[in-house]
Amino acid sequence: MINVAHLTRKYGDFTAVSDVSFEIRPGEIVGLLGHNGAGKTTIMKMMTGYLEPTSGTVTIDGLSVASDRRAVQQKIGYLPENCPVYPEMTILEYLDYCAALHGIPERERPTLIREAVERTALAEKAAEQINTLSRGYRQRTGVAQAILHRPDILILDEPTNGLDPTQILHMRELINELAKTATVIISTHILQEVQAICGRVIIIKNGKMALDSQFDKLRQSGRLVVNAKTEADKALRLFNSLPQIAKAAQTGGEGQFELELKPGADSRETAAAVAKAVHEQNWPLYALHFETRTLETVFAEISG
């Protein structure tokens, strides 16, 4: 569906994005993470055709953003970072204007506008001027215009910005529903939101790709935690003698050990081998599990 190849953007001597490449399959919900100034918004602008890359290509559904920009933009729903809207318009007027920009025939607009308003819970404010709305309602208005034309791809820059906890939960439900028929890319500073919504995360650091991983793989640290009743020296000699273990160390209190697997070692087979080795020594085994990392842990490791 989406192919980004060697994408680079320079401003004079400053490189905002450097040689970034990734592919996104239909139906994925992908979180794009990074500190302020990392290059996330620049990548989104180049993907949507609002900013030309210095080099590299973006292809969406077989169409090049460089040569087929208008056709590509018809397939994309885009919520920019600061949610630009026309404050003097009502929500309905603004959505009707956006529908006209998308080339939606007048006879089809009422149905699509009603659908967008209902999905974003804007019905009670639909006839009010945008400049009278809270930040949260303005944000939802921006999301409404992004989904108005039923796009195949949604690119949302900070979609939960300004929303209260109840609205955030509603937005999560909406994004999960939209992902049934669309590919979704989300940029946010709230790591918990990415963890709750996305199945995959891409982390950008200083304009470069730092990580691209499915969440299931991300949570696996490659370290096995063992709690057994034995002397530390004996345990460390045993664990370090196993062919699947790169390094064993005592952590925490007595009987607590952390085993780092060698690259390519099968996690399930390694866990079975460790359990068997402990059993053969007649040591009581209290716990055996792989360490689980959170997104916060991974992000801190990359940032550090």
Side-chain angles (χ1 to χ4, degrees), residues 31-257:
L32 188 63
L33 294 177
H35 288 299
N36 287 332
K40 308 183 303 298
T41 296
T42 302
I43 291 172
M44 287 183 158
K45 286 181 177 179
M46 289 189 285
M47 290 176 66
T48 53
Y50 291 96
L51 182 66
E52 291 187 1
T54 303
S55 61
T57 60
V58 178
T59 304
I60 293 179
D61 201 16
L63 298 173
S64 167
V65 173
S67 58
D68 303 293
R69 182 172 304 178
R70 294 297 296 172
V72 167
Q73 289 176 340
Q74 288 292 333
K75 295 177 177 289
I76 294 175
Y78 179 39
L79 174 67
E81 183 178 15
N82 295 316
C83 188
V85 290
Y86 290 96
E88 70 279 4
M89 291 183 175
T90 67
I91 291 176
L92 292 176
E93 289 170 343
Y94 174 67
L95 293 179
D96 185 68
Y97 174 68
C98 292
L101 293 179
H102 280 295
I104 298 172
E106 285 191 36
R107 65 182 181 277
E108 297 177 15
R109 292 179 197 172
T111 299
L112 294 177
I113 292 172
R114 187 182 307 111
E115 178 182 298
V117 166
E118 289 175 353
R119 280 182 147 185
T120 51
L122 285 169
E124 65 179 37
K125 301 287 186 179
E128 297 187 16
Q129 280 192 311
I130 293 174
N131 61 6
T132 67
L133 302 177
S134 67
R135 184 174 182 178
Y137 275 110
R138 292 190 188 196
Q139 191 73 1
R140 282 193 272 172
T141 301
V143 174
Q145 67 79 24
I147 68 175
L148 178 64
H149 56 300
R150 296 174 180 167
D152 297 326
I153 299 166
L154 272 173
I155 298 179
L156 307 176
D157 204 347
E158 301 287 349
T160 59
N161 191 18
L163 302 185
D164 63 35
T166 300
Q167 293 169 340
I168 288 174
L169 289 175
H170 178 267
M171 186 62 66
R172 287 182 189 176
E173 293 172 357
L174 174 60
I175 290 171
N176 282 317
E177 178 190 342
L178 293 168
K180 295 176 181 178
T181 56
T183 302
V184 183
I185 303 170
I186 301 170
S187 174
T188 178
H189 291 93
I190 306 173
L191 300 184
Q192 294 89 341
E193 288 306 303
V194 175
Q195 205 156 261
I197 298 172
C198 303
R200 176 181 166 194
V201 61
I202 294 173
I203 297 179
I204 304 297
K205 179 181 180 181
N206 298 328
K208 297 181 179 180
M209 176 83 76
L211 177 76
D212 182 359
S213 175
Q214 297 291 332
F215 263 114
D216 290 343
K217 294 182 179 179
L218 191 67
R219 294 188 181 101
Q220 297 177 3
S221 68
R223 289 190 287 267
L224 188 63
V225 178
V226 182
N227 187 348
K229 186 177 181 180
T230 182
E231 296 177 14
D233 291 344
K234 291 181 180 180
L236 292 175
R237 280 198 298 269
L238 175 66
F239 296 145
N240 282 314
S241 70
L242 297 176
Q244 302 96 330
I245 303 302
K247 182 181 179 181
Q250 184 178 16
T251 60
E254 184 179 354
Q256 300 276 352
F257 303 95

Side-chain angles (χ1 to χ4, degrees), residues 220-226 239-240 242-249 257-275 288-292:
Q220 297 177 3
S221 68
R223 289 190 287 267
L224 188 63
V225 178
V226 182
F239 296 145
N240 282 314
L242 297 176
Q244 302 96 330
I245 303 302
K247 182 181 179 181
F257 303 95
E258 188 176 88
L259 315 183
E260 184 177 337
L261 275 63
K262 290 181 179 178
D266 183 273
S267 58
R268 296 177 64 183
E269 290 183 2
T270 301
V274 170
L288 177 68
H289 63 87
F290 278 93
E291 183 184 60
T292 300

